[in-house]
């Protein structure tokens, strides 16, 4: 048995998703002619409450086009020290856009202190880059950011004349996990998107599409982003093949994210109390576990031998998704318990 918990990006398109792909109407999207891409863009713009959306090959390109649509050469964006848009995108905004990041420390929930944000906003002075944008990320390491924080941080940014961008690679997980009783996940998504001028969402993570992201924002912002996407080589032709998967995923794979969250809880529960393991969080579909000094590499090797794949060596990350079921999670738990000589 192979249980791949490295990421929610490892899922294969389902049979129904492949069907949707095969029957999609196609056109040349660089001419704006692909009806399936257009339908997806309209759908995701409506879901996030924005005027327009743009389909992108990856989340990295979506964030890059977003940042460069907000900021010009010599501008800067405020971003978490460990945020994807600073740390994990190859410095793209600086490399391609001459946009300087201003990274700030984050707490365990991924939040930058409001006072740090306020202090980092530079006065209009030729010594400084022009501070233009605040970037947040939700979920962050599986955590759902509170509305209180989203509201306060984006209000602070607006009061100081900054735009706001959400890296919402897993914002669907955040919406499902934090919807009020009786509230639909998509209504919740809209509420969270409302705090921001632009939102980037991924279809290739928990939603299970083979690839693709979308940047959502005002018509004007998206027009600028379209130009930048073309420069970045992201103008694709019959992209409706991929947009069909994303549309299918929006229709069928959002509410089921609750199953991934329940499996993450089951995994956390099964591993709780083992000496040498410290569970950090399991709020959505990502479980972080710190392994006691020295035994991380042995545990990871043991897991691999038994067909359980995770990422990390000391702080291990376990991600549940569409292609993992209860049996797989129980296998992973049993393998870890055996390693520690605990009863199954
Ligand atoms: C995955 C991810 C992205 C985008 O990654 P791609 O691999 O380029 O699609 C952006 N932000 C976060 C937080 C992510 O997890």
């Amino acid at each position: 048995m192979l249980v791949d918990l490295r990421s929610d990006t490892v899922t294969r398109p389902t049979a129904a998703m492949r069907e949707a792909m095969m029957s999609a109407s196609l056109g040349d999207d660089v001419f704006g002619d692909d009806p399936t891409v257009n339908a997806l863009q309209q759908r995701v713009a409506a879901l996030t409450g924005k005027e327009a959306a743009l389909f992108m090959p990856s989340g990295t390109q979506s964030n890059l086009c977003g940042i460069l649509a907000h900021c010009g050469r010599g501008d800067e964006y405020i971003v978490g020290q460990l945020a994807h848009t600073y740390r994990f995108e190859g410095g793209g905004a600086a490399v391609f856009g001459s946009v300087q990041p201003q990274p700030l420390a984050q707490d365990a929930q991924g939040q930058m202190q409001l006072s740090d944000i306020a202090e980092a906003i530079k006065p209009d002075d030729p010594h400084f880059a022009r501070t233009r944008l605040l970037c947040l990320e939700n979920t962050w390491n599986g955590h759902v950011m509170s509305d209180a924080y989203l509201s306060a941080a984006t209000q602070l940014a607006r009061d100081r004349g900054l735009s706001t961008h959400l890296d919402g690679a897993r914002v669907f997980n955040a919406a499902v996990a934090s919807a009020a009783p009786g509230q639909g996940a998509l209504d919740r998504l809209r509420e969270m998107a409302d705090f921001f001028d632009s939102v980037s969402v991924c279809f290739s993570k928990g939603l299970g599409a083979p690839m693709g992201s979308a940047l959502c924002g005002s018509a004007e912002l998206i027009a600028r982003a379209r130009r930048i996407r073309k420069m970045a080589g992201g103008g694709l032709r019959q992209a409706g093949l991929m947009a069909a998967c994303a549309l299918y995923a929006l229709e069928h794979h959002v509410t089921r994210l609750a199953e991934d969250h329940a499996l993450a809880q089951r995994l956390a529960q099964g591993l709780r109390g083992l000496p040498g393991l410290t569970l950090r969080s399991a709020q959505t579909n990502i479980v972080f576990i710190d392994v006691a000094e020295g035994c991380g590499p042995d545990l990871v090797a043991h897991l691999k031998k038994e067909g359980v794949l995770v990422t990390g060596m000391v702080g291990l990350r376990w991600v549940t998704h569409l292609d993992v079921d209860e049996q797989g999670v129980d296998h992973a738990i049993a393998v870890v318990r055996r390693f520690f000589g605990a009863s199954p």
Side-chain angles (χ1 to χ4, degrees):
M1 177 185 262
L2 181 71
V3 186
D4 193 344
L5 300 167
R6 288 173 302 166
S7 177
D8 45 10
T9 55
V10 301
T11 56
R12 310 294 202 277
T14 62
M17 196 179 263
R18 287 169 199 252
E19 284 290 316
M21 192 184 327
M22 294 314 286
S23 60
S25 315
L26 303 174
D28 187 331
D29 183 50
V30 175
F31 290 118
D33 281 353
D34 191 299
T36 309
V37 170
N38 292 340
L40 172 65
Q41 290 176 165
Q42 274 166 23
R43 177 93 178 111
V44 71
L47 290 179
T48 54
K50 307 299 179 207
E51 280 176 350
L54 192 60
F55 188 45
M56 303 270 185
S58 71
T60 298
Q61 189 171 105
S62 183
N63 282 323
L64 176 69
C65 293
I67 293 168
L68 300 197
H70 284 292
C71 303
R73 191 158 188 255
D75 291 346
E76 72 171 7
Y77 64 108
I78 294 176
V79 61
Q81 188 69 249
L82 297 174
H84 206 279
T85 45
Y86 169 60
R87 194 168 172 113
F88 298 98
E89 298 184 1
V95 173
F96 297 122
S98 300
V99 176
Q100 159 177 295
Q102 165 62 73
L104 298 177
Q106 293 164 281
D107 66 15
Q109 276 74 49
Q111 302 176 357
M112 300 171 266
Q113 294 256 344
L114 297 182
S115 54
D116 288 351
I117 295 174
E119 233 171 86
I121 300 171
K122 319 288 187 291
D124 181 7
D125 175 317
H127 287 90
F128 304 124
R130 290 172 300 250
T131 314
R132 272 284 153 76
L133 177 68
L134 173 69
C135 277
L136 299 181
E137 184 176 317
N138 192 19
T139 62
W140 185 78
N141 274 353
H143 278 287
V144 181
M145 271 185 187
S146 72
D147 279 13
Y149 181 76
L150 293 176
S151 170
T154 54
Q155 188 60 50
L156 165 63
R158 264 193 307 280
D159 288 347
R160 301 287 301 270
L162 273 58
S163 300
T164 53
H165 173 74
L166 176 69
D167 176 358
R170 294 191 178 86
V171 74
F172 292 98
N173 295 89
V176 167
S178 66
Q183 183 187 31
L186 296 177
D187 288 336
R188 178 70 189 125
L189 173 74
R190 169 74 193 269
E191 276 179 5
M192 290 189 296
D194 275 347
F195 292 114
F196 295 89
D197 296 313
S198 61
V199 178
S200 172
V201 303
C202 286
F203 306 115
S204 55
K205 302 261 162 101
L207 296 190
M211 60 179 278
S213 289
L215 179 69
C216 312
S218 69
E220 192 197 344
L221 185 91
I222 294 303
R224 279 203 298 279
R226 186 186 302 279
R227 172 175 284 274
I228 297 159
R229 185 187 68 171
K230 187 73 181 131
M231 285 191 261
L236 304 178
R237 302 298 177 170
Q238 285 73 41
L241 280 176
M242 290 299 129
C245 295
L247 269 171
Y248 181 89
L250 284 176
E251 204 58 52
H252 300 279
H253 292 170
V254 174
T255 50
R256 67 149 305 284
L257 290 171
E259 297 168 30
D260 299 346
H261 300 173
L263 282 181
Q265 284 298 327
R266 185 182 182 92
L267 179 67
Q269 206 54 47
L271 300 181
R272 215 172 288 272
L274 287 175
L277 293 187
T278 311
L279 257 74
R280 268 189 282 147
S281 75
Q283 222 186 343
T284 54
N285 68 327
I286 306 182
V287 182
F288 280 96
I289 298 177
D290 292 328
V291 186
E293 192 87 28
C295 81
D298 288 344
L299 173 59
V300 172
H302 170 76
L303 286 168
K304 195 169 176 189
K305 193 162 60 77
E306 301 288 339
V308 178
L309 305 181
V310 298
T311 53
M313 272 295 163
V314 180
L316 305 185
R317 191 182 83 150
W318 319 59
V319 186
T320 56
H321 52 74
L322 196 56
D323 288 356
V324 181
D325 57 13
E326 215 168 87
Q327 217 186 343
V329 164
D330 290 348
H331 175 68
I333 294 168
V335 167
V336 178
R337 296 188 71 87
R338 258 203 312 281
F339 177 82
F340 287 104
S343 56

